[in-house]
Each structure stands twice: as structure tokens, then as C-alpha cells.
Amino acid sequence: MRSPSPGPADSADSACSAGPARRADQADQADLAPLVRAAQRGDALAVQELLDLLTPYVGRLCGPIALQDGPDATQEALIVIFRGIGGLREPAALFGWARVIAVREAVRIARAAARSVPDPLDGVPARDDPQLAADVRDVLGRLSPAHRAVLVLRDLEGLDEHSVSALLGVPEPTVRTRLFRARRNFRKAWER
């Protein structure tokens, strides 16, 4: 698996205007190896430094997928990441490994939330409201977690179908089908 750099936007609210980009504030992948190895040995300072580095990235992935439960999904993903850090064999793959966990946890949390009572939609802003990011978040909220996940990975993270397939654990034709349906459903919900 390749070692991707973290995602595009600083927050889910800026998702409508940001494209795939590398973050300037990220440590070089090679510089992470000693830090990851120290964290694997139980060094509390290394764990804290990795937590500080991974939290914004994991949050940017979980927010658009889990929506209002994004902070919970982020926390759950970070717990899984740090419980399993000892099993990470290649420190350069840290961000790719964390992405897989973050997406999986965000989808899990979003599915669990979908089984609960949905929030009323009476506070949804109108299409001509200047808060475009809020409109986008609302429309994303109407999609299934699987559709949100494929949209975030393809359109916000800029991953190719093969990478999305590997992250979600589904065949590439399924990714293409989900992406087609997710975009169609997004457009329909946007036009309402």
C-alpha cells in the first residue's frame, strides 16, 4: 500500500472549496519512522506527538462521513490506531494505515447513528443561503454512510478507484457503482 499524505481541507466545512492537496504542516514521512518506533516501544511523548499529528487528519476524514458524530468517530478511530500501533510494520505507511481505520470507524459510527432517530430537518438552510458549507453538510447527511465514504475518498481526498476499493474493502466495480449513485443522489438532494 502506498503511503499517502493527509487530506485536503482543514475542516469538513471547507470541503466544498478544497481539492486534493498536501498539507504543509505535515512531517516528512521519513521523519516519522523514529517517532512511530518510539511510540511502539511505549514512549509517552512519542505517542502524544503522533496523536497531535494524526488528530486533525483523522478528523478531516471522519467529519464528512460521520457528520454530527464526526468527533465521536475521530475519537474511536484514534483509540483503534493507538491500540494497534504496535502492529504497524512500516512506519512510512502510518497515514495510509490511519486512513483505513478512520474511514472504517466513521462508517461504523454513521451506520449506528442512522439506526437511531434522525434529527428534524426544519433547521436546514435554503439553497441561496450564503453558508454553502452548511448546505453541503446537510446534503451529505442525506446520503448513506457508504455513499458519503466513497464521495469523501474520491472527490475530497482525490484517491483513485483502486485505492478507494482497498480502503473500503469492496471490488472496484462496486466503488464505481457507489460513486455514480452517490453523485446522483447528491445532485437530487441538492436540487430540492
Side-chain angles (χ1 to χ4, degrees), residues 12-36:
D13 291 338
S14 62
C16 60
S17 63
R22 296 195 185 275
R23 302 261 314 155
D25 61 342
Q26 266 199 284
D28 185 328
Q29 298 281 341
D31 295 341
L32 289 177
L35 188 61
V36 171

Side-chain angles (χ1 to χ4, degrees), residues 12-145:
D13 291 338
S14 62
C16 60
S17 63
R22 296 195 185 275
R23 302 261 314 155
D25 61 342
Q26 266 199 284
D28 185 328
Q29 298 281 341
D31 295 341
L32 289 177
L35 188 61
V36 171
R37 294 202 197 298
Q40 289 173 325
R41 289 190 304 269
D43 182 334
L45 291 174
V47 169
Q48 183 60 48
E49 196 171 332
L50 277 179
L51 182 65
D52 291 343
L53 187 65
L54 286 173
T55 299
Y57 176 59
V58 170
R60 283 191 303 274
L61 291 169
C62 291
I65 297 170
L67 302 175
Q68 71 271 12
D69 296 315
D72 292 337
T74 300
Q75 184 175 2
E76 291 296 322
L78 289 169
I79 289 169
V80 172
I81 289 167
F82 284 99
R83 282 186 177 160
I85 193 82
L88 180 63
R89 290 191 180 118
E90 182 54 50
L94 176 67
F95 283 100
W97 179 68
R99 180 180 6 200
V100 170
I101 293 169
V103 169
R104 184 183 64 224
E105 289 301 309
V107 169
R108 184 182 64 79
I109 297 286
R111 283 184 179 149
R115 288 188 290 267
S116 66
V117 178
D119 292 335
L121 295 177
D122 54 358
V124 176
R127 272 188 59 186
D128 57 292
D129 191 305
Q131 296 181 350
L132 181 59
D135 291 341
V136 170
R137 182 177 287 279
D138 174 61
V139 172
L140 281 173
R142 298 178 193 185
L143 301 179
S144 70

